[in-house]
Amino acid sequence: ATDKASSGPAAVGKTPLERNQKVLEPMPRLRAKVVHGQGRGSKLLGFPTANMEVRWDQEQNPEALAPEEQQVLEFAKSCQPGIYFGWAQVATGHDRGVYKTAMSVGWNPTFTDIKAKTIEPWILHDFAEDFYGEELRLIVCGFVRPEVKFDDFADLITAIKEDGVFCGEALDQPVCSHLSEDELFRS
């Protein structure tokens, strides 16, 4: 695995957030429908996320799911909660470009109403329209940092902005940059 560390000005209490570029091996390739989340990404925080459908309703019966739904469920169950970087494409949308992504996976500990782990990619691109119900394809390239509970929304917003910059830079590294042309995005 490739690691590169950085500490940014966003902090929890007085401790700066430490970010790493820990490349995942293998890199999960996920496909899921974009669903409505809690409505906080754009409205409250200013960061629109493309919430991936995780079929928690079939956690005890995964064989009833399509293979891509099984992969998303397994990733959600097994991955460490935190911030990840990757490449994403709205495969069935009008804008089928492949874009850098900063992704939160977990329980959003700053909020207390999340009942199951979520997968929330923030695609670092301005889309002309919403794409709920469309298929999102995602290559999860690496892990940045664990999930953190923020006491102050301003600190959370600063951290998300810094995560976006950090993830964008991580995806410029040779080990990840070529994946924007992966076969996943061409089929």
Side-chain angles (χ1 to χ4, degrees), residues 13-33:
K14 301 285 183 214
T15 307
L17 284 177
E18 184 177 317
R19 293 176 175 88
N20 295 286
Q21 293 178 11
K22 183 178 182 194
V23 175
L24 301 181
E25 294 176 18
M27 294 179 188
R29 284 160 169 77
L30 306 174
R31 295 174 184 223
K33 181 169 70 170

Side-chain angles (χ1 to χ4, degrees), residues 1-6 18-28 75 78-87 101 103 139-146 163 166-173 175-176 179:
T2 304
D3 284 326
K4 180 180 174 189
S6 166
E18 184 177 317
R19 293 176 175 88
N20 295 286
Q21 293 178 11
K22 183 178 182 194
V23 175
L24 301 181
E25 294 176 18
M27 294 179 188
F75 176 76
S78 65
C79 75
Q80 178 181 355
I83 306 304
Y84 291 79
F85 56 94
W87 292 100
T101 300
M103 181 173 75
I139 297 177
V140 186
C141 298
F143 181 78
V144 175
R145 65 173 177 83
D163 289 337
F166 189 87
C167 290
E169 291 171 357
L171 291 160
D172 287 336
Q173 301 302 313
V175 69
C176 296
L179 291 168

Side-chain angles (χ1 to χ4, degrees), residues 53-62 65 69 73 116:
E53 181 178 46
V54 180
R55 295 292 310 272
W56 292 110
D57 61 316
Q58 294 294 328
E59 183 177 14
Q60 302 305 317
N61 190 26
L65 298 174
E69 292 174 318
L73 178 61

Side-chain angles (χ1 to χ4, degrees), residues 2 20 28 30 33 37 43 47 50 54 64 67 76 85 88 91 94 97 105 122 128 146 157 176 178-179 181 186:
T2 304
N20 295 286
L30 306 174
K33 181 169 70 170
K43 295 177 184 77
F47 304 97
V54 180
F85 56 94
H94 288 96
V105 180
W122 169 33
I157 290 168
C176 296
H178 69 283
L179 291 168
E181 298 178 19
R186 287 190 246 143

